[in-house]
Amino acid sequence: MIIWRGWGVLAALYAFAAMILFTGVGSQILPSEALPFSAAIGLAVAAVATWFTGIALNQSGPQGKVDLWIAERNYQLTELVETGQFSLGPGQPQPQSLEEAREMAAALFEYEKAELNKTAFNQHTLFWIPLQYISFGLAAIAVTVLISSLF
């Protein structure tokens, strides 16, 4: 059973496609002695594709969204504080001065930013491993296949 979250299944699809292309098609073109070498190249290609896809989906893409959210939320909290409308919510202590409202807004902003950083990144996993790190496993398998083909 394969367990993935988001686009984590792409690692398995890349490996499967690489094995079909490099061994299946390679068996029609290459001599049988070269097939393990072809499989190792295919797995290495899958590892590279998985690394760059994982970085794009788990790091670069979310970072842009986080940066945008941070700018918008900072502006929103500043506006609420400056207009005297800032509140932590019902049942929470209300700020008694503008300076206290600024401190409360800054603490809320830092808390929200920390929580967002915990949840925004590495959403695409295969067996609970972020997609970009699966590439190390694929590369290790490629090296193992290459070494075993030499003996």
Side-chain angles (χ1 to χ4, degrees):
M1 183 163 139
I2 297 177
I3 301 169
W4 73 85
R5 186 173 63 178
W7 285 103
V9 72
L10 285 177
L13 294 177
Y14 286 161
F16 181 72
M19 293 311 294
I20 287 176
L21 286 174
F22 283 84
T23 58
V25 175
S27 68
Q28 302 299 318
I29 301 169
L30 300 171
S32 61
E33 299 83 28
L35 284 180
F37 183 71
S38 177
I41 291 173
L43 285 170
V45 168
V48 169
T50 301
W51 171 259
F52 285 111
T53 302
I55 291 295
L57 291 175
N58 284 332
Q59 301 295 324
S60 303
Q63 186 62 53
K65 292 177 184 175
V66 165
D67 291 342
L68 179 63
W69 180 88
I70 286 173
E72 289 175 358
R73 184 64 174 157
N74 192 25
Y75 176 76
Q76 180 185 35
L77 288 174
T78 302
E79 279 293 309
L80 288 171
V81 167
E82 297 304 322
T83 59
Q85 298 176 354
F86 178 78
S87 171
L88 289 176
Q92 298 294 321
Q94 299 300 313
Q96 301 300 314
S97 66
L98 184 61
E99 188 57 38
E100 186 179 3
R102 285 185 182 132
E103 290 174 11
M104 292 171 82
L108 176 64
F109 180 67
E110 289 303 316
Y111 172 78
E112 289 175 344
K113 193 165 60 166
E115 288 298 311
L116 182 63
N117 282 328
K118 285 184 207 174
T119 61
F121 298 99
N122 294 325
Q123 292 295 313
H124 305 279
T125 63
L126 181 66
F127 293 110
W128 303 281
I129 301 170
L131 186 59
Q132 66 270 23
Y133 301 127
I134 295 291
S135 64
F136 294 120
L138 291 174
I141 294 170
V143 168
T144 303
V145 168
L146 184 61
I147 291 172
S148 68
S149 71
L150 297 175
F151 298 106

